[in-house]
């Protein structure tokens, strides 16, 4: 990474800090890779050998300051700012006190009550140390979003490719299931998973883990993963759920992540249809809420969208069977570091930002019977909420 790139990033960080009127600066801290977000936001190489604590202070205005151990004085050489070195723990504390004395409120990778665990990277003892200086520590959650979740035009294009390609692979996977059944060729959940994975790789994409292929009762397990030796056969008159995620291999590419359901018979059972319709109404209700909020000039919070979706499924009498958040941030990692659509597993108080993306994926899971999930990816502009990879699923697909 060039020196110019790091200077540009620091200027962007200071602009973001100034947008948060009550924050005096952003303090980065790491010990042996404890905060991967620090390396990502600061554009540092996460593979470098670091064994001692370092701090990097970025004030609202003025030059940044590095606090480093004398054994590892060059860890932050790529970053602008003056360096202060310490050896003993007493020197470290004194230097940190001098660095922060007079500041009122500083941001760190901290989440009050661990509300957003994705952001909770700084250990409690270090928070106590900083607070002992008389400084109020606040969460850097919205600052991190600015640099981790906001997409460039190139990233948006990579997402369009990913989700459009995944949508095509869904059709290919369902065609493969139908062909195997019609020609009486054995097919298991694992075999379908491997077929989908092969298609992902054939299209020039990669994935962090293998896709989900689940039949009947296994579809009621939201994170079921078929094993090679313990995988159910796919037979006629069964529900098939597939969840697939992937991205291009080029650096900076972002993920697409979608879920579809099919039925290996000509007539989808009434209960399956009813459950899918409730899931669809939750999904589309959440999307409509976001679109209405943006049209009114307001960016909603992650927890608000979750509430809208969850309320619709609760009204249908299936609330206790919707056991995960409505959606997650999407970025270079399939579960990104922006606002999640969540007021169940966590209370995500982060506001959805323009030029970010997240999934909406409500599900109803009936233990011992079946589960239905429908997942779409929503990209937010300054005024719109856009779903790529159309068409949306409107009913369970009859595969035969």
């Amino acid at each position: 990474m060039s020196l110019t790139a790091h200077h540009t990033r620091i200027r962007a960080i200071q602009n973001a800090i100034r947008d948060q009127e009550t924050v005096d600066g952003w303090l980065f801290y790491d010990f042996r890779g404890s905060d991967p977000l620090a390396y990502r936001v600061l554009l540092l190489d996460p593979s470098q050998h670091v064994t001692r604590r370092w701090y990097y202070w970025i004030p609202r205005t003025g030059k940044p300051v590095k606090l480093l151990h004398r054994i590892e004085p060059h860890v932050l050489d790529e970053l602008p700012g003056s360096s202060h070195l310490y050896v003993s723990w007493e020197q470290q504390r004194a230097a940190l006190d001098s660095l922060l004395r007079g500041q009122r409120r500083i941001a760190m990778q901290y989440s009050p009550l661990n509300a957003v665990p994705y952001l909770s990277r700084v250990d409690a003892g270090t928070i106590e140390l900083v607070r002992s200086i008389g400084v109020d520590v606040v969460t850097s959650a919205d600052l991190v979003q600015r640099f981790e979740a906001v997409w460039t035009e190139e990233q948006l294009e990579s997402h369009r490719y990913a989700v459009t390609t995944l949508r095509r692979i869904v059709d290919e996977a369902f065609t493969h299931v139908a062909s195997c059944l019609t020609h009486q060729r054995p097919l298991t959940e694992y075999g379908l998973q491997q077929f989908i994975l092969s298609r992902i790789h054939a299209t020039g994409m990669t994935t962090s883990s293998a896709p989900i292929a689940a039949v009947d009762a296994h579809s009621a397990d939201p994170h079921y993963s078929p094993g090679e030796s313990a995988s159910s056969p796919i037979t006629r008159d069964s529900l098939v759920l597939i969840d697939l995620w992937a991205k291009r291999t080029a650096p900076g590419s972002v993920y697409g992540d979608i879920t579809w359901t099919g039925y290996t018979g000509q007539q989808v059972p009434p209960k399956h249809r009813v459950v899918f319709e409730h899931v669809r109404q939750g999904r589309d209700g959440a999307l409509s809420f976001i679109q209405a909020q943006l049209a009114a000039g307001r960016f909603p919070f992650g927890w608000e969208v979750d509430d809208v979706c969850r309320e619709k499924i609760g009204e249908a009498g299936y609330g206790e069977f919707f056991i995960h958040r409505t959606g997650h941030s999407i970025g270079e990692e399939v579960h990104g570091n922006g606002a999640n659509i969540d007021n169940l597993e966590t209370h995500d108080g982060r506001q959805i930002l323009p030029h970010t993306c997240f999934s909406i994926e409500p599900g109803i899971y009936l233990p011992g019977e079946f589960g239905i999930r429908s997942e779409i990816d929503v990209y937010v502009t300054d005024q719109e909420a856009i779903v790529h990879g159309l068409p949306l699923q409107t009913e369970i697909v009859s595969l035969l």
Side-chain angles (χ1 to χ4, degrees):
M1 190 69 64
S2 69
L3 187 62
T4 300
H6 285 99
H7 279 273
T8 300
R9 174 52 62 95
I10 299 307
R11 285 196 296 270
I13 290 174
Q14 288 188 307
N15 288 336
I17 292 170
R18 286 193 285 270
D19 287 343
Q20 298 200 358
E21 298 177 358
T22 61
V23 176
D24 296 321
W26 191 351
L27 180 64
F28 291 84
Y29 161 80
D30 181 69
F31 175 62
R32 300 183 67 176
S34 60
D35 183 10
L37 292 175
Y39 289 84
R40 292 172 64 94
V41 172
L42 296 173
L43 306 179
L44 297 171
D45 179 4
S47 67
Q48 62 180 310
H49 183 62
V50 181
T51 66
R52 301 299 191 272
R53 289 173 283 186
W54 61 257
Y55 300 83
Y56 188 61
W57 166 243
I58 305 178
R60 290 173 63 87
T61 59
K63 295 182 178 180
V65 180
K66 312 168 193 179
L67 179 55
L68 304 154
H69 196 281
R70 196 175 294 275
I71 287 177
E72 296 175 344
H74 302 296
V75 169
L76 303 180
D77 276 358
E78 297 173 277
L79 300 176
S82 58
S83 296
H84 297 265
L85 304 180
Y86 72 90
V87 174
S88 69
W89 64 266
E90 295 97 338
Q91 290 174 340
Q92 182 218 172
R93 293 189 179 183
L96 191 61
D97 184 286
S98 176
L99 180 65
L100 299 179
R101 182 65 62 183
Q103 306 299 331
R104 296 167 302 147
R105 302 178 84 234
I106 68 169
M108 296 186 75
Q109 270 73 285
Y110 149 76
S111 179
L113 301 179
N114 197 25
V116 184
Y118 286 79
L119 267 296
S120 193
R121 302 292 186 170
V122 179
D123 64 277
T126 299
I127 296 293
E128 290 172 353
L129 173 60
V130 172
R131 284 177 172 164
S132 73
I133 298 170
V135 176
D136 183 19
V137 178
V138 299
T139 182
S140 63
D142 286 330
L143 289 169
V144 168
Q145 269 209 99
R146 291 273 291 265
F147 299 95
E148 275 288 286
V150 174
W151 288 357
T152 64
E153 282 298 318
E154 292 77 14
Q155 288 178 311
L156 174 57
E157 179 54 37
S158 77
H159 171 72
R160 287 195 192 101
Y161 176 85
V163 77
T164 300
T165 303
L166 289 174
R167 177 65 192 82
R168 186 173 68 248
I169 292 174
V170 167
D171 291 340
E172 294 172 348
F174 283 163
T175 298
H176 179 64
V177 171
S179 176
C180 287
L181 290 173
T182 300
H183 295 91
Q184 298 183 340
R185 293 195 302 267
L187 181 66
T188 64
E189 295 166 317
Y190 179 79
L192 178 58
Q193 178 200 66
Q194 294 304 302
F195 174 85
I196 296 170
L197 194 59
S198 71
R199 296 303 305 136
I200 287 172
H201 293 155
T203 58
M205 296 197 294
T206 186
T207 180
S208 57
S209 54
I212 293 172
V215 172
D216 293 332
H218 286 161
S219 65
D221 177 354
H223 281 182
Y224 171 75
S225 181
E228 183 175 4
S229 59
S231 178
S232 293
I234 299 176
T235 59
R236 290 177 180 266
D237 298 318
S238 292
L239 180 80
V240 179
L241 181 150
I242 57 175
D243 185 350
L244 52 163
W245 51 94
K247 66 175 182 176
R248 278 177 161 164
T249 57
S253 296
V254 295
Y255 271 87
D257 184 7
I258 60 176
T259 304
W260 277 63
T261 46
Y263 189 77
T264 59
Q266 294 181 348
Q267 295 293 326
V268 177
K271 186 173 184 179
H272 290 60
R273 291 201 305 269
V274 168
V275 170
F276 180 89
E277 181 59 20
H278 292 316
V279 169
R280 185 197 64 77
Q281 289 178 1
R283 180 198 73 192
D284 294 352
L287 178 60
S288 296
F289 171 75
I290 297 167
Q291 291 170 331
Q293 291 286 299
L294 294 178
R298 178 179 181 272
F299 288 85
F301 295 90
W303 67 267
E304 293 179 294
V305 184
D306 184 76
D307 277 359
V308 170
C309 183
R310 199 165 300 282
E311 182 178 0
K312 286 190 173 294
I313 291 178
E315 289 172 350
Y318 286 97
E320 66 179 294
F321 302 107
F322 183 11
I323 57 175
H324 58 71
R325 62 193 174 195
T326 291
H328 58 82
S329 169
I330 296 174
E332 293 183 46
E333 299 169 319
V334 67
H335 288 188
N337 292 310
N340 294 318
I341 310 305
D342 190 7
N343 196 24
L344 176 72
E345 299 176 49
T346 70
H347 178 74
D348 203 314
R350 291 175 289 181
Q351 196 169 25
I352 294 170
L353 297 184
H355 310 294
T356 64
C357 183
F358 49 86
S359 69
I360 294 179
E361 49 178 302
I364 294 174
Y365 307 94
L366 306 177
E369 294 185 65
F370 64 91
I372 300 289
R373 179 168 63 254
S374 182
E375 179 178 16
I376 60 175
D377 299 343
V378 181
Y379 176 75
V380 173
T381 71
D382 292 319
Q383 298 175 316
E384 297 180 280
I386 301 171
V387 179
H388 299 287
L390 299 176
L392 303 185
Q393 184 169 13
T394 57
E395 59 184 1
I396 297 174
V397 180
S398 295
L399 303 183
L400 296 176

